[in-house]
Amino acid sequence: MPGNRLARAHSPYLLAHAGQPVDWYPWCEEAFRRARMEDRPVFLSIGYAACHWCHVMSRESFDDPEVAAVLNETFVNVKVDREERPDVDAVYMEACRRLTGGGGWPLTVILTPDGRPFFAATYLPKASRGGRIGLLDLARHVKRLWATRREPVLRAAAEVTAVLAEEGRAASGPGPDAGTVRLAVETLYGIFDRVHGGFGEAPKFPSGTVLSFLVRHWRRAGDPRAREMADLTLRRMRRGGIFDQVGLGFHRYSTDGRWFLPHFEKMLTDQALLATAYAEAAAAFGEPEFARTAREVFTYVLRDLAAPEGGFFSSEDADVEGEEGRYTTWTEAEIRAVLPPETADALCRVFGVEPEGNYAEEASGRVTGRNVLAFADPGAPLPGDDTVARGLERLAEVRARRRRPRLDDKVLADWNGLMIEALATGARVLGDDALAAAAVRAADFVLSRMRGPGGRLLHRWHRGAVGIPGFLDDYVFVTAGLIALHQALHDSRYLAAAVELQDILDEDFRDEAGGGYHFTSADGEPLLVRRKDIYDGAVPSGNAVAAGNLLRLARLTGEPRYEAAADALFGAFGAAVRAAPAAAVTLLDASAAGSGVDVVVAGEAGARELVAVTREVWHPDDLVVVRKAAPGEAEAAAPPFAAACGPVEGRAAAYVCSRRSCRPPVTDPAALRRLLAEARQAGAFPPDRDAPGGPGA
């Protein structure tokens, strides 16, 4: 089978298509130059390594010589890894939504030679069936249109492009307030599944972003609806087939409404966002089950997705030998062959294992004879030190000998930023130093191995090859991870690194006229439109995360320019957020990042005990600075008022501040505990003009 240009790629997804008969190009100017020279439309196919239906379409069509011949004759063919080029994917996914009302992957878009879209779809079979046009018929139809009726095609492409350009302009207005937050909670409660948890109907996605918002909102406001939604969803997901009961970690999403039958790929992003949600829920609700689940997710990530160099790989595939879920699912005979009868009986009963299999294939409806392990009783307790737990351990040993799904072993800066933040959060709220050590390894890897000239981030590392200038998400997710790591370890190096990245972001990405940040840098590759988004998707909105970073950095460094940039960002997207607040919960969450209690612990003797007190009660908006320099001496990336903070009578002292007003220092842990309780309840102290950072500071 002849090779194509993808053989020179660094993306495992692109490399998987390098031997196909389709004359693939990666996304590059050369492809569009050829399209213009030969007057051909461009066939753009976007997917990712863990995407099941991407594999199906690849086997059915792109491996097929007949399809390849028609594609090669009609188009210039371009293949894109959406994870490697999220900028390209975002533009053409929005075009797909505009043209079809939906989206997903594989994404199939046909473009004019200058990149304007005029047809979009997701998965397409080789031959037309069931009302869905096949790839062969589509190519022949487009060839006829391009030759005989081009003007309507060009008009349609121009119209879509105009809509995309207009959509990229944010609607300004007042920033979010408490009423906006309440409306978001009410909207979510209106679509909340009160039986199975989650939101809406099938398919269901495990939105760690929404769950974290609800946990934090409950901690701030005590809204019982927020706790109800988060608590039930977190419990039901852990007991469903979306959670890998044998190997741990979460699959991508559930094809049904009860979290039972997943698409079996596992993404680093989902592990990071869900581990954060479970860890914070454990701290907020005092639920050991949630702490256990967070640890289980971390166990999976550190065992199966950790790169030896320090970062984290992107995903594990859903398929093995062309069969989705083969690695994860079981026949009853397989279970009984490796477990004692009483253990097999107990495990099959708990997880609803059936001799004929307990699920049917999503596409064909065929019962496979295999079983997804999900709790038959979703209200049952999790296995402890019991027969079922020992059975699961044995199944894990057996499964380890199976052929594993393919690993997408590229390291992405943005996704690693999410995982660094999750690990740092876990280290802080679960009291686990091993998680902090893993966060340090990943942060040091990104900062040392994924940067270019001027300290600018690079998006992708793969087997030593690093490239692709960083996007908005790379900067803001890594910065958020560094801030979280600073809060876990109180190491000023990570705060200084966060400041450095934020300053690059402000220089290269900020929209000086309209507020907020573009997804691509000012000197990045020009695309059809330069996007500036606020709504959350599979990952949080980059602009929303930037807002939270800015407000936290303003508090941690005392730099008013960060707060001003955050205010401009909130105003830039105010109207858009008020129009659909439940789609922008990360920005709503970020709006609280300027409040909370600030604690400076200065000195060494007794500092550890004081810091421990700050962690006894978790609050999402509290920040702690541990000051090691002598009083009056500057310390890198620290608030100016902290320079006046020092030990008292040879003992480490804690300075508790809220709303730029501080109380006199305390050295006794019990006194600090009382001060924190008062500050968290009141939200602010009465002015104390003699304290560092008091009025006028």
Side-chain angles (χ1 to χ4, degrees):
M1 187 176 293
N4 54 51
R5 295 165 188 81
L6 301 185
R8 299 190 295 271
H10 292 288
S11 157
Y13 175 69
L14 298 187
L15 289 170
H17 296 77
Q20 291 177 330
V22 177
D23 187 16
W24 290 118
Y25 284 81
W27 181 270
C28 61
E29 173 55 29
E30 180 187 354
F32 288 92
R33 185 165 57 246
R34 179 182 169 191
R36 292 190 295 270
M37 288 176 57
E38 298 183 4
D39 191 27
R40 295 191 190 192
V42 172
F43 180 86
L44 175 62
S45 177
I46 303 178
Y48 58 99
C51 168
H52 169 67
W53 286 103
C54 299
H55 300 324
V56 173
M57 189 168 175
S58 182
R59 288 193 302 269
E60 288 181 348
S61 296
F62 301 145
D63 284 342
D64 186 282
E66 180 186 8
V67 175
V70 173
L71 292 178
N72 294 341
E73 177 185 315
T74 308
F75 304 108
V76 173
N77 303 291
V78 176
K79 174 63 76 171
V80 169
D81 179 347
R82 66 168 290 258
E83 297 166 359
E84 193 176 60
R85 293 301 303 264
D87 54 336
V88 174
D89 176 64
V91 169
Y92 292 105
M93 181 59 72
E94 185 59 33
C96 182
R97 293 190 184 102
R98 296 290 178 171
L99 286 165
T100 70
W105 299 275
L107 176 60
T108 304
V109 191
I110 301 180
L111 318 174
T112 63
D114 59 359
R116 292 178 295 165
F118 60 88
F119 172 86
T122 53
Y123 162 79
L124 294 174
K126 173 183 174 180
S128 300
R129 65 172 185 258
R132 184 187 292 266
I133 192 170
L135 205 49
L136 288 172
D137 288 339
L138 173 65
R140 291 163 182 153
H141 178 62
V142 170
K143 186 176 183 179
R144 286 193 300 271
L145 284 178
W146 195 250
T148 63
R149 299 187 62 218
R150 187 176 303 190
E151 281 306 313
V153 170
L154 295 179
R155 279 199 305 272
E159 289 170 3
V160 173
T161 302
V163 169
L164 293 177
E166 184 62 31
E167 188 269 343
R169 298 187 179 95
S172 61
D177 56 17
T180 319
V181 175
R182 284 194 298 272
L183 180 57
V185 174
E186 289 166 4
T187 302
L188 291 169
Y189 202 60
I191 59 173
F192 174 57
D193 183 338
R194 290 163 175 75
V195 176
H196 304 294
F199 304 93
E201 300 176 353
K204 273 189 180 169
F205 290 83
S207 178
T209 298
V210 171
L211 294 170
S212 286
F213 163 73
L214 293 171
V215 171
R216 295 168 189 173
H217 177 63
W218 179 83
R219 186 65 185 85
R220 293 175 184 126
D223 188 332
R225 298 170 301 174
R227 177 163 185 169
E228 177 189 352
M229 288 187 278
D231 188 277
L232 181 64
T233 303
L234 292 168
R235 291 182 191 279
R236 290 294 191 263
M237 287 197 308
R238 172 58 183 82
R239 288 161 174 78
I242 193 171
F243 186 79
D244 184 348
Q245 306 292 338
V246 172
L248 310 177
F250 282 92
H251 299 298
R252 180 68 192 94
Y253 67 91
S254 176
T255 63
D256 56 76
R258 58 191 179 99
W259 307 112
F260 173 69
L261 179 61
H263 267 311
F264 290 89
E265 63 263 33
K266 291 181 179 178
M267 315 296 293
L268 180 65
T269 48
D270 293 321
Q271 314 312 317
L273 296 170
L274 289 170
T276 298
Y278 276 97
E280 292 186 346
F285 304 156
E287 288 289 347
E289 176 183 313
F290 296 154
R292 168 179 169 171
T293 305
R295 292 181 187 278
E296 290 170 333
V297 175
F298 289 132
T299 296
Y300 162 69
V301 170
L302 295 174
R303 183 191 66 215
D304 292 346
L305 296 181
E309 294 83 358
F312 294 97
F313 298 135
S314 296
S315 64
E316 281 196 298
D317 209 334
D319 298 15
V320 174
E321 298 175 345
E323 183 177 344
E324 187 184 15
R326 180 79 185 187
Y327 179 74
T328 306
T329 58
W330 301 82
T331 66
E332 185 188 43
E334 287 172 338
I335 292 172
R336 294 194 178 280
V338 297
L339 297 181
E342 64 278 8
T343 304
D345 289 343
L347 191 141
C348 289
R349 182 176 63 254
V350 167
F351 292 112
V353 173
E354 301 288 348
E356 66 277 11
N358 65 6
Y359 73 96
E361 284 185 337
E362 179 192 14
S364 67
R366 179 177 62 90
V367 177
T368 65
R370 305 191 68 80
N371 291 269
V372 172
L373 298 191
F375 280 71
D377 176 5
L382 299 182
D385 183 16
D386 57 17
T387 300
V388 173
R390 289 189 289 274
L392 291 172
E393 291 172 1
R394 175 59 181 148
L395 292 187
E397 294 171 0
V398 172
R399 200 176 82 173
R401 298 196 290 269
R402 293 178 175 176
R403 180 176 174 180
R404 287 191 67 90
R406 285 173 293 187
L407 177 71
D408 185 336
D409 62 347
K410 68 178 182 291
V411 175
L412 300 174
D414 51 349
W415 292 15
N416 272 255
L418 292 174
M419 198 67 231
I420 292 164
E421 182 178 15
L423 287 162
T425 300
R428 191 172 75 252
V429 305
L430 302 176
D432 191 333
D433 292 341
L435 299 180
V440 165
R441 288 193 298 273
D444 290 349
F445 175 84
V446 172
L447 293 174
S448 65
R449 306 282 290 276
M450 300 187 70
R451 301 177 86 177
R456 284 164 171 77
L457 285 173
L458 295 168
H459 176 61
R460 183 262 299 139
W461 178 96
H462 182 246
R463 301 183 184 181
V466 63
I468 306 175
F471 303 107
L472 169 63
D473 287 0
D474 295 303
Y475 282 91
V476 299
F477 293 171
V478 172
T479 298
L482 293 171
I483 294 171
L485 189 53
H486 171 262
Q487 288 298 290
L489 297 178
H490 307 294
D491 186 332
S492 62
R493 291 179 303 158
Y494 296 111
L495 182 56
V499 166
E500 184 178 356
L501 292 182
Q502 181 62 51
D503 290 348
I504 294 172
L505 183 74
D506 289 338
E507 180 180 345
D508 292 355
F509 291 79
R510 189 160 64 193
D511 182 350
E512 296 290 352
Y517 298 90
H518 296 287
F519 190 74
T520 53
S521 68
D523 60 355
E525 178 187 348
L527 297 176
L528 196 63
V529 295
R530 192 178 181 203
R531 293 185 62 82
K532 195 174 76 169
D533 301 322
I534 196 58
Y535 295 129
D536 299 316
V539 296
S541 156
N543 269 289
V545 175
N549 291 345
L550 287 165
L551 291 176
R552 291 182 181 92
L553 288 175
R555 292 166 60 191
L556 288 168
T557 68
E559 285 283 355
R561 59 193 170 96
Y562 294 140
E563 189 169 359
D567 288 342
L569 191 156
F570 286 122
F573 296 102
V577 172
R578 289 173 183 272
V585 295
T586 302
L587 190 74
L588 300 181
D589 179 66
S591 67
S595 60
V597 177
D598 298 325
V599 181
V600 178
V601 176
E604 296 187 19
R608 183 184 299 272
E609 290 77 9
L610 294 174
V611 171
V613 170
T614 68
R615 297 181 176 181
E616 289 175 353
V617 177
W618 174 80
H619 195 287
D621 306 316
D622 289 355
L623 293 174
V624 178
V625 172
V626 175
R627 178 173 166 74
K628 298 177 182 177
E633 292 183 1
E635 191 161 6
F641 70 81
C645 300
V648 174
E649 298 180 352
R651 297 286 300 172
Y655 298 74
V656 179
C657 308
S658 180
R659 301 184 187 275
R660 304 187 185 188
S661 175
C662 298
R663 297 293 285 172
V666 295
T667 59
D668 176 46
L672 175 58
R673 194 173 289 115
R674 288 193 298 272
L675 273 183
L676 288 173
E678 293 171 8
R680 287 164 176 154
Q681 183 174 9
F685 287 114
D688 186 330
R689 298 185 181 276
D690 297 326

